[in-house]
Amino acid sequence: MAVTQGTPAIVLSGLSKSYGAVHAVRGVDLSISHGETVAILGPNGAGKTTTIDMMLGLARPDAGRVTLFGRTPADAVSAGAIGGMLQTGTLLRDLSVRELIGMVASLYPNPLSIDDVLSITAIDEVADRRTHKLSGGQAQRVRFAMALVSNPNLLVLDEPTAALDVSSRRDFWTVMRRSAASGKTVVFATHYLEEADAYADRIVFMTRGRVVADGPATEIKAKVGHRSIRATLEGPGAEELGALRGVVGVDRRGASIVLRCQDSDQALRDLLARYPNVRDIEVTGAGLEDAFIELTGDPAEEDTSSEARA
Ligand SMILES: Nc1ncnc2c1ncn2[C@@H]1O[C@H](COP(=O)(O)OP(=O)(O)OP(=O)(O)O)[C@@H](O)[C@H]1O
Ligand SMILES: [Mg+2]
């Protein structure tokens, strides 16, 4: 399908959906440009899957609109412009992996070569195995292959690495990087904060059906993030340390100190000047984990209040 530069890849406007009394998605507005890699993060029940299902035209919004490359999801999907990988869903049984990928390829106008896709997704070794005899991680890779084979401009992936072991996860992201580098737009939902941090240009945080933050990982970290200085230092009390310039909070446990800093460079200079015997110094940025908790509330609380895990 011809892709007009300038038209965003994805536009969600005022998107809402309820399941009975559950407001799964409440007024989401989002515009994603060509070539962006965007992670959707959020606790269980935040509305990530519901949003993705609406993007792929699998669920109907109660209100609002989805536009993919200026078209409806149904049109964009049937043109082969979109590759989707769902969080759940079984593979067709009684077909080999190769047959299944071949069948999907035959539905689209410009598919990739089946052998290439089998090799990119590292399932060539199980290509002749029946789909119901695959391990969880292998089945996951087959689902990824199904998303790739139509050679889509946009990949939409719901927790693509959920069942993968560490090395498969790394391989998966290598393939994704290549796809993103070749100009594809990628949207993925994940619970792995480090994954979003490492692979996404942009992070969209959702909680309770709403987008609560949207920006580059670094910006989101900066929003909530203070850096911390950890060190070993006997002597000065919390009050004395708290008086150092740039320090906003002090935590002392035995000889270990943690200084929460609003200006860690200044704090470090003062700390070294005042206490030359300070040692084991480490400066750490705020992790996405901190951002996550700060922006979405306590995820543990969300888990139990949602019925997503019933
Ligand atoms: N088919 C459905 N029927 C009823 N309620 C649903 C249905 N699908 C989702 N929900 C509810 O909508 C809310 C959002 O669910 P959704 O699956 O979009 O969340 P999620 O962010 O993908 O969560 P997870 O991280 O657990 O995958 C949840 O409260 C969930 O229980
Ligand atoms: Mg989900």
Side-chain angles (χ1 to χ4, degrees), residues 8-290:
I10 303 178
V11 179
L12 310 182
S13 46
L15 205 60
S16 298
K17 181 157 189 78
S18 297
Y19 294 105
V22 179
H23 299 296
V25 173
R26 321 180 188 210
V28 166
D29 295 302
L30 208 59
S31 175
I32 294 173
S33 309
H34 288 273
E36 271 193 296
T37 299
V38 178
I40 304 182
L41 270 171
N44 290 131
K48 304 180 296 296
T49 295
T50 307
T51 303
I52 282 178
D53 285 352
M54 289 191 282
M55 274 185 200
L56 293 173
L58 299 172
R60 253 184 104 81
D62 296 339
R65 252 158 63 97
V66 178
T67 314
L68 306 178
F69 304 110
R71 307 178 172 204
T72 64
D75 285 352
V77 168
S78 57
I82 320 298
M85 180 170 168
L86 305 182
Q87 185 171 8
T88 52
T90 47
L91 301 169
L92 272 181
R93 287 174 65 95
D94 297 324
L95 282 179
S96 73
V97 169
R98 185 190 301 277
E99 286 165 345
L100 176 63
I101 305 299
M103 199 181 86
V104 175
S106 72
L107 300 173
Y108 294 101
N110 302 303
L112 296 176
S113 115
I114 292 160
D115 283 330
D116 284 355
V117 171
L118 292 172
S119 122
I120 289 170
T121 54
I123 48 173
D124 27 15
E125 278 172 30
V126 294
D128 296 319
R129 200 169 296 171
R130 307 259 145 181
T131 57
H132 59 274
K133 293 189 175 157
L134 300 172
S135 76
Q138 289 165 343
Q140 189 83 335
R141 285 188 248 166
V142 172
R143 283 204 284 273
F144 181 42
M146 290 167 68
L148 277 183
V149 74
S150 71
N151 194 17
N153 296 314
L154 167 64
L155 279 164
V156 181
L157 314 164
D158 198 353
E159 300 196 26
T161 60
L164 302 184
D165 62 30
V166 176
S167 87
S168 308
R169 191 169 287 167
R170 202 179 319 115
D171 296 344
F172 173 86
W173 286 112
T174 307
V175 175
M176 288 307 306
R177 273 231 165 106
R178 226 180 290 146
S179 295
S182 70
K184 293 193 192 304
T185 308
V186 179
V187 176
F188 66 98
T190 182
H191 285 276
Y192 297 104
L193 308 172
E194 63 279 15
E195 223 167 65
D197 197 5
Y199 300 106
D201 310 321
R202 173 174 163 197
I203 294 180
V204 172
F205 269 84
M206 287 189 74
T207 187
R208 299 183 183 88
R210 293 201 171 88
V211 173
V212 293
D214 179 357
T218 44
E219 190 184 297
I220 286 180
K221 286 192 281 186
K223 216 181 219 175
V224 291
H226 293 288
R227 289 186 187 211
S228 297
I229 299 174
R230 291 163 190 278
T232 309
L233 175 65
E234 288 89 3
E239 203 168 322
E240 210 178 311
L241 291 167
L244 297 172
R245 285 177 295 171
V247 173
V248 293
V250 180
D251 191 15
R252 176 182 272 293
R253 298 216 179 106
S256 302
I257 57 167
V258 179
L259 309 179
R260 266 170 57 85
C261 304
Q262 163 263 311
D263 180 348
S264 57
D265 297 332
Q266 183 65 60
L268 193 55
R269 284 191 201 103
D270 274 21
L271 181 70
L272 284 161
R274 288 277 293 276
Y275 311 104
N277 58 331
V278 63
R279 56 189 199 278
D280 309 329
I281 300 171
E282 265 177 59
V283 181
T284 51
L288 270 178
E289 190 75 51
D290 301 323

